[in-house]
Amino acid sequence: GEPSRENHYLFNGDFVDRGVWGPEVLCAIFCLLLLTPDCVHLNRGNHESEICTNHYGFQNQLAFAFPDDHERLRVKIHGAFNMLPLCHVIAGRVFVVHGGLPKFRVPLKDIAK
């Protein structure tokens, strides 16, 4: 169903670099977030970085989809990526992170810093 107080969405990174529709998928995810900010949550993955979007094609897809504005959009999109959290904690019990857990124990209070 649609995002709601009873049906939260958590996108766990790598929104881009998954095919030619990357810019459109990202716009749809951002629209969901804007429409239901209390019910849609985003974690940053490794592909939400300058290095990956350049290497894996998102920047080229952005240029193809928005030829007149792609550079300005790239800067804004990466600004948004840089503000995304790396993890979410659900109900105080479930830790969700895109890249997995480290080999050593890290308390949540340290991650919050």
Side-chain angles (χ1 to χ4, degrees):
E2 295 180 13
S4 67
R5 292 192 185 278
E6 296 78 32
N7 191 39
H8 285 244
Y9 283 22
L10 173 55
F11 291 92
N12 196 26
D14 287 6
F15 321 128
V16 298
D17 298 326
R18 297 291 170 240
V20 297
W21 298 107
E24 292 82 358
V25 169
L26 182 63
C27 286
I29 291 171
F30 280 171
C31 284
L32 280 174
L33 178 64
L34 289 170
L35 289 170
T36 52
D38 295 331
C39 305
V40 173
H41 315 278
L42 310 177
N43 276 347
R44 183 178 182 173
N46 58 309
H47 281 261
E48 285 73 48
S49 68
E50 293 270 357
I51 292 171
C52 283
T53 58
N54 185 41
H55 182 75
Y56 291 102
F58 179 72
Q59 290 186 22
N60 291 335
Q61 295 160 6
L62 196 61
F64 184 79
F66 303 100
D68 296 333
D69 298 311
H70 67 93
E71 184 56 32
R72 186 171 56 88
L73 286 169
R74 184 192 65 76
V75 170
K76 297 288 187 187
I77 288 168
H78 280 285
F81 286 167
N82 290 339
M83 294 176 14
L84 292 176
L86 298 177
C87 68
H88 277 80
V89 178
I90 301 170
R93 300 188 61 190
V94 180
F95 177 80
V96 181
V97 63
H98 173 76
L101 297 172
K103 292 182 181 182
F104 52 91
R105 292 186 137 222
V106 179
L108 289 177
K109 65 181 171 71
D110 289 350
I111 293 171
K113 294 177 187 177

